[in-house]
């Protein structure tokens, strides 16, 4: 590197909480009018815009020697994509619904064909809809029970403020109905649509009823949440009988139902919320089936309740709790109940015959793999669909007959440039944590890669909100693995990879375990000879960005590089600002530093921005999105400014802000690959593998 870019101007702001005075030197990078920026990025303060654009320009200069590599990586990644890919169609009565891509197209086409044969009908052509737009993202698409109307949502800024439209599938024309600032929606019948609306602070707190063909101004609010710490979403039971309003934070749920046979009736409560009680409902005949953690069932059990009296006092246990066997989700069909479980980091599918109560598991053989359940549209069916993959095995889509117990392969993911699973090795290791726990680590490397400590290693993780890390096929990472990298996933505490206790062991008072688990995983891989200290590149996204940011503060010598995508690194300042979109809902995950001195001190102890110190940091590359409502753009901007001020090494400290996107980055499938190619080029550069 020739010269460092200018350090952001210091404009110190001080505040005192619980007797502790904090000084935020880079608070000016925050847009005080962030609500307006989310809707119109043009209103961003010119000084902030100039700073972000200058950072982008510097990153281009710093990584100029990787431009050819970026093009090569992009070509490789595109070569692994079947450009005219289409998914397996899903049956819903007279139609088969599907989505597909065309060669050169950035966005999907939503299509359907008659189930008894006939021509394809294009319902939405994403490429045409996105013409002339720098950002375009399709949200929910849901057709009415009579297949005449399609409700679909579009975000054309990146702020996740979706506008819901209704399209007449006979004419292909949109109705005048325009429902702004939405989050999800379901049809109760052919005329009534329920949807969630976000408020001025971007929070999904209300459910509305819309009558097709009427002005949105006449819509009726059927549920309004008064606690800003909760969010609402709307769904539908597989039977189609009930619309479900789910009110939730990260550890508590409350559900209401509306009978689709009487959609004008008020919502009916299933069981009143109480702190820590999480539950989810399905419907079958005259009973609700409820997945619940009540009665000490931290990894969930399943109960039933009469439709007419669903309160907890009337619950009857169907499936008992088994510690360490986490029930992830479940669905009821006419004659079967299917649940997806996670045990010791590996998923399973269990099928129960509701007539005989007999159960069986769908078996798999690999050491580490992942399963997704596609529940489909139909209720009266004996067929389910699941998607299987591992780090070495491309996605395989199966239809499974629950009665005959036979599976039919419907699609195997194609890798046009070629892929032989036998060329790669996947392993599951267990790294000892400092308190005696073992942290699962999934590895992928090319057969023949030297395991003598010389290989660079990319270590990724997440560890928040109970989200497990899936060990699924990710063809993009082969561009690193083929260059001699080892790719590793650390299944750290804070996720539910080993059940609810794994989540509880990495949140609130035990949050530090998330970071020390990640470091322990890296140290174990060094000890086992997979890599060497100072040859690891840490990669994390969102809360995973907080993970790698904290690890950089705690053990900078372990890493040669840090890639932090839309990183949640300004944790304390964000949790102290109750006006931000996700702050009140996040307090149960991190703590409320406004009200609690203990929680203030705890967050202060690990918040990456607040713990940057005068020390030698590895190479760091952070990215942000200008219209990101989840991790606001100023978090990585402030973090990079402070790192650049205090870092004593000459390593790169870089920031790139997507000025036309949000939390998910670029919206087009090729544009998103460009962003990933830049990340990987950074990793290859700092590992000294350019030209290899």
């Amino acid at each position: 590197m020739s010269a460092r870019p200018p350090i952001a101007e210091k404009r110190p702001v001080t505040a005192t909480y619980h007797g502790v005075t904090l000084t935020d030197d880079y608070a000016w990078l925050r847009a005080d009018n962030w609500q307006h920026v989310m809707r119109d990025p043009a209103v961003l303060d010119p000084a902030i815009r100039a700073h972000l654009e200058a950072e982008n320009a510097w990153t281009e200069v710093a990584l100029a020697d990787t431009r050819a590599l970026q093009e090569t990586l992009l070509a490789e990644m595109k070569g692994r994509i079947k450009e005219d890919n289409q998914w397996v169609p899903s049956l819903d009565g007279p139609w088969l619904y599907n989505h597909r891509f065309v060669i050169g197209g950035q966005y999907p086409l939503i299509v359907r064909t008659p189930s008894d044969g006939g021509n394809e009908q294009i319902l939405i052509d994403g490429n045409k809809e996105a013409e002339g737009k720098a950002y375009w993202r399709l949200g929910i698409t849901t057709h009415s029970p009579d297949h005449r109307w399609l409700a679909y949502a579009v975000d054309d800024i990146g702020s996740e403020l979706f506008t819901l439209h209704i399209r007449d599938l006979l004419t292909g024309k949109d109705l005048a109905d325009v429902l702004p600032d939405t989050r999800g929606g379901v049809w109760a019948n052919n005329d009534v649509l329920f949807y969630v609306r976000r408020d001025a602070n971007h929070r999904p707190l209300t459910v509305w009823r819309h009558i097709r063909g009427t002005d949105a101004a006449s819509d009726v609010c059927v549920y309004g949440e008064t606690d800003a710490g909760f969010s609402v979403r709307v769904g539908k039971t597989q039977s189609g009988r009930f619309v479900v309003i789910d009110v939730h934070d990260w550890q508590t749920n409350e559900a209401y139902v509306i009978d689709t046979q009487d959609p004008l009736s008020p919502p009916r409560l299933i069981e009143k919320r109480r702190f820590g009680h999480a539950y989810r409902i399905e419907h079958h005949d005259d009973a609700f089936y409820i997945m619940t953690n009540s009665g000490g069932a931290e990894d969930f059990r399943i109960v039933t309740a009469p439709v007419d009296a669903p309160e907890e006092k009337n619950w009857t246990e169907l499936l008992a709790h088994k510690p360490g066997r986490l029930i992830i989700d479940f669905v009821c069909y006419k004659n079967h109940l299917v649940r997806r479980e996670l045990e010791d980091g590996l998923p399973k599918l269990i099928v129960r015959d509701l007539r005989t109560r007999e159960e069986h598991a769908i078996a798999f053989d690999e050491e580490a793999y992942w399963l997704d359940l596609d529940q489909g549209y139909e209720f009266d069916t004996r067929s389910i669909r699941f998607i299987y993959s591992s780090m070495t095995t491309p996605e395989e889509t199966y239809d499974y007959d629950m009665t005959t117990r036979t599976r039919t392969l419907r699609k195997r993911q194609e890798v046009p440039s070629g892929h032989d699973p036998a060329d790669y090795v996947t392993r599951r290791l267990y790294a000892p944590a400092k308190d005696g726990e073992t942290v699962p680590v999934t590895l992928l490397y090319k057969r023949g890669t030297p395991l003598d400590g010389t290989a660079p290693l990319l270590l990724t993780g997440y560890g928040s909100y109970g989200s497990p890390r899936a060990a699924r096929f990710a063809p993009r990472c082969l561009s690193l693995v083929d260059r001699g990298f080892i790719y590793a996933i650390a299944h750290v505490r804070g996720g539910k990879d080993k059940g609810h206790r794994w989540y509880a062991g990495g949140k609130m008072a035990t949050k530090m375990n998330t970071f020390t688990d990640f470091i322990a995983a890296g140290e174990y891989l060094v000890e086992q000879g997979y890599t060497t200290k100072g040859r690891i590149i840490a990669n994390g996204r969102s809360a995973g960005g907080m993970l790698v940011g904290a690890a950089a503060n705690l053990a900078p010598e372990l890493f040669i590089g840090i890639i932090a995508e839309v990183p949640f690194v300004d944790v304390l300042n964000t949790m102290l600002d109750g006006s931000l979109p996700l702050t009140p809902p996040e307090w149960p995950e991190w703590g409320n530093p406004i009200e609690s001195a203990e929680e203030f001190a705890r967050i202060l102890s690990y918040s990456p921005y607040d713990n940057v110190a005068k020390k030698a940091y590895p190479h760091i590359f952070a990215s942000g999105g200008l219209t990101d409502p989840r991790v606001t753009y100023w978090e990585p901007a402030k973090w990079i400014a402070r790192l650049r001020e205090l870092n004593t090494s000459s390593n790169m400290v870089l920031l790139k802000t997507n000025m036309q996107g949000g939390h998910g980055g670029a919206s087009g499938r090729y544009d998103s690959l460009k962003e990933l190619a830049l990340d990987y080029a950074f990793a290859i550069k700092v590992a000294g593998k350019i030209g290899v």
Side-chain angles (χ1 to χ4, degrees), residues 280 282 289 291 302 318-319 327-341 348-354 359-362 372-375 381-386 400-402:
R280 192 172 76 78
E282 263 283 17
Y289 283 63
M291 186 178 95
I302 296 177
L318 179 76
L319 180 72
I327 303 175
I328 303 173
D329 52 28
F330 78 116
V331 59
C332 286
Y333 297 96
K334 183 177 180 180
N335 295 316
H336 297 88
L337 181 150
V338 181
R339 67 182 187 270
R340 190 162 58 115
E341 301 177 348
K348 293 189 291 186
L349 285 176
I350 311 295
V351 177
R352 169 183 282 242
D353 190 313
L354 291 173
E359 289 192 351
H360 69 274
I362 306 175
D372 286 308
L373 175 64
D374 179 357
Q375 66 187 56
T381 181
R382 54 192 259 182
S383 177
I384 60 170
R385 178 169 295 161
F386 63 84
Y400 182 80
D401 189 308
M402 294 181 283

Side-chain angles (χ1 to χ4, degrees), residues 306-632:
V307 164
D308 295 333
E311 299 85 3
E312 186 174 3
K313 64 182 180 181
N314 298 317
W315 291 2
T316 300
E317 186 166 88
L318 179 76
L319 180 72
H321 172 245
K322 178 184 175 183
R325 179 199 63 187
L326 176 69
I327 303 175
I328 303 173
D329 52 28
F330 78 116
V331 59
C332 286
Y333 297 96
K334 183 177 180 180
N335 295 316
H336 297 88
L337 181 150
V338 181
R339 67 182 187 270
R340 190 162 58 115
E341 301 177 348
L342 190 66
E343 195 163 5
D344 207 19
L346 292 178
K348 293 189 291 186
L349 285 176
I350 311 295
V351 177
R352 169 183 282 242
D353 190 313
L354 291 173
R355 298 160 297 185
T356 66
R357 295 200 171 191
E358 184 179 3
E359 289 192 351
H360 69 274
I362 306 175
F364 305 93
D365 298 327
E366 289 191 86
E367 185 175 335
Y369 60 87
W370 190 252
L371 284 174
D372 286 308
L373 175 64
D374 179 357
Q375 66 187 56
Y377 294 111
E378 298 198 312
F379 176 70
D380 186 1
T381 181
R382 54 192 259 182
S383 177
I384 60 170
R385 178 169 295 161
F386 63 84
I387 300 95
Y388 173 91
S389 75
S390 74
M391 298 290 285
T392 59
T393 305
E395 285 188 356
E396 297 173 342
T397 301
Y398 290 90
D399 283 347
Y400 182 80
D401 189 308
M402 294 181 283
T403 301
T404 64
R405 304 188 183 184
T406 56
R407 66 184 81 176
T408 302
L409 178 65
R410 295 296 308 277
K411 177 182 171 64
R412 179 174 283 115
Q413 181 181 355
E414 295 182 51
V415 183
S417 61
H419 175 71
D420 184 352
D423 291 341
Y424 301 90
V425 177
T426 186
R427 295 286 315 280
R428 173 61 66 87
L429 307 178
Y430 293 88
K434 65 176 184 177
D435 59 356
E437 285 282 6
T438 56
V439 182
V441 183
T442 304
L443 297 183
L444 173 70
Y445 53 90
K446 194 165 187 177
R447 200 173 296 278
T449 298
L451 304 179
D452 58 2
T454 60
L457 184 144
L458 187 136
L459 180 64
T460 185
Y462 190 71
S464 293
Y465 308 115
S467 298
R469 279 301 304 265
R472 55 161 55 96
F473 186 65
R476 300 171 176 184
C477 73
L478 297 179
S479 285
L480 290 180
V481 173
D482 287 347
R483 286 175 170 79
F485 278 73
I486 295 173
Y487 186 90
I489 301 171
H491 304 270
V492 297
R493 276 175 281 190
K496 287 185 179 178
D497 305 74
K498 293 174 72 171
H500 183 272
R501 72 173 188 86
W502 204 243
Y503 173 37
K507 64 176 294 191
M508 297 291 280
T510 58
K511 188 62 196 172
M512 191 61 73
N513 287 334
T514 302
F515 317 127
T516 55
D517 280 359
F518 190 76
I519 293 167
E523 291 174 340
Y524 183 71
L525 292 170
V526 169
E527 177 188 316
Q528 295 299 305
Y530 286 98
T531 191
T532 306
K533 184 177 289 190
R535 292 288 284 161
I536 298 174
I537 295 150
N539 176 215
R541 181 178 185 84
S542 194
M546 174 189 63
L547 168 64
V548 300
N553 286 330
L554 292 167
E557 70 287 347
L558 185 61
F559 308 101
I560 192 173
I562 305 288
I563 301 173
E565 305 167 63
V566 290
F568 180 34
V569 285
D570 194 16
V571 185
L572 183 58
N573 282 312
T574 295
M575 289 298 102
L576 286 168
D577 187 346
S579 74
L580 293 173
L582 295 184
T583 294
E586 300 282 279
W587 285 330
E589 180 73 15
W590 315 107
N592 185 340
I594 299 173
E595 296 185 353
S596 168
E598 178 185 354
E599 292 170 5
F600 174 93
R602 185 164 61 237
I603 296 172
L604 179 60
S605 73
Y606 65 75
S607 176
Y609 175 70
D610 296 286
N611 286 279
V612 174
K614 192 174 285 293
K615 65 177 68 173
Y617 281 91
H619 299 281
I620 294 179
F621 180 29
S623 60
L626 184 60
T627 55
D628 188 346
R630 298 171 183 262
V631 177
T632 48

Side-chain angles (χ1 to χ4, degrees), residues 72-373:
T72 299
L73 291 167
L74 178 60
E76 289 175 5
M77 293 175 188
K78 289 178 68 174
R80 298 189 189 102
I81 294 176
K82 182 173 170 55
E83 290 204 68
D84 55 350
N85 192 33
Q86 62 179 318
W87 279 249
V88 181
S90 295
L91 179 67
D92 189 8
W95 293 96
L96 287 161
Y97 288 86
N98 205 355
H99 62 285
R100 62 181 177 85
F101 284 94
V102 298
I103 294 175
Q106 292 256 40
Y107 302 98
L109 280 65
I110 309 301
V111 302
R112 69 180 182 183
T113 54
S115 55
D116 57 0
N119 295 327
E120 177 187 84
Q121 179 184 1
I122 297 176
L123 310 183
I124 296 177
D125 184 337
N127 299 301
K128 289 184 178 178
E129 301 278 354
E131 285 180 359
K133 296 181 174 66
Y135 185 97
W136 187 87
R137 180 183 170 195
L138 183 65
I140 63 114
T141 60
T142 177
H143 55 270
S144 59
D146 66 357
H147 305 276
R148 169 73 186 272
W149 312 100
L150 182 75
Y152 70 97
V154 171
D155 171 16
D156 58 9
I157 298 175
S159 60
E160 301 178 33
L161 292 169
F162 287 90
T163 299
L164 197 60
H165 305 269
I166 298 176
R167 180 161 293 179
D168 185 341
L169 297 182
L170 289 183
T171 66
K173 304 294 184 182
D174 286 353
L175 303 184
D177 311 41
V178 176
L179 315 178
D181 300 348
T182 65
R183 179 205 190 192
V186 293
W187 292 97
N189 57 28
N190 302 318
D191 300 308
V192 179
L193 180 74
F194 289 94
Y195 66 96
V196 175
R197 186 182 294 174
R198 294 184 184 272
D199 67 8
N201 277 10
H202 212 282
R203 294 174 184 146
L205 295 176
T206 53
V207 177
W208 297 73
R209 183 177 64 231
H210 177 74
I211 308 299
R212 177 180 48 78
T214 64
D215 192 293
S218 63
D219 289 355
V220 175
C221 180
V222 300
Y223 180 84
E225 177 57 43
T226 57
D227 187 339
F230 280 74
S231 299
V232 300
R233 58 180 166 234
V234 65
K236 203 173 182 180
T237 59
Q238 186 73 12
S239 66
R241 175 67 186 277
F242 293 96
V243 169
V244 180
I245 298 172
D246 178 61
V247 187
H248 61 277
D249 64 8
W250 288 110
Q251 54 196 4
T252 302
N253 290 77
E254 183 177 70
Y256 297 79
V257 294
I258 300 173
D259 194 328
T260 57
Q261 297 177 359
D262 185 14
L264 302 186
S265 61
R268 187 159 59 93
L269 177 65
I270 298 295
E271 173 61 27
K272 186 177 180 180
R273 78 184 72 168
R274 65 177 184 273
F275 178 77
H277 182 208
Y279 70 96
R280 192 172 76 78
I281 72 165
E282 263 283 17
H283 165 251
H284 183 271
D285 288 345
D286 58 355
F288 287 119
Y289 283 63
I290 304 169
M291 186 178 95
T292 171
N293 66 354
S294 62
E298 64 175 10
D299 290 318
F300 292 93
R301 62 189 180 118
I302 296 177
V303 301
T304 63
V307 164
D308 295 333
E311 299 85 3
E312 186 174 3
K313 64 182 180 181
N314 298 317
W315 291 2
T316 300
E317 186 166 88
L318 179 76
L319 180 72
H321 172 245
K322 178 184 175 183
R325 179 199 63 187
L326 176 69
I327 303 175
I328 303 173
D329 52 28
F330 78 116
V331 59
C332 286
Y333 297 96
K334 183 177 180 180
N335 295 316
H336 297 88
L337 181 150
V338 181
R339 67 182 187 270
R340 190 162 58 115
E341 301 177 348
L342 190 66
E343 195 163 5
D344 207 19
L346 292 178
K348 293 189 291 186
L349 285 176
I350 311 295
V351 177
R352 169 183 282 242
D353 190 313
L354 291 173
R355 298 160 297 185
T356 66
R357 295 200 171 191
E358 184 179 3
E359 289 192 351
H360 69 274
I362 306 175
F364 305 93
D365 298 327
E366 289 191 86
E367 185 175 335
Y369 60 87
W370 190 252
L371 284 174
D372 286 308
L373 175 64

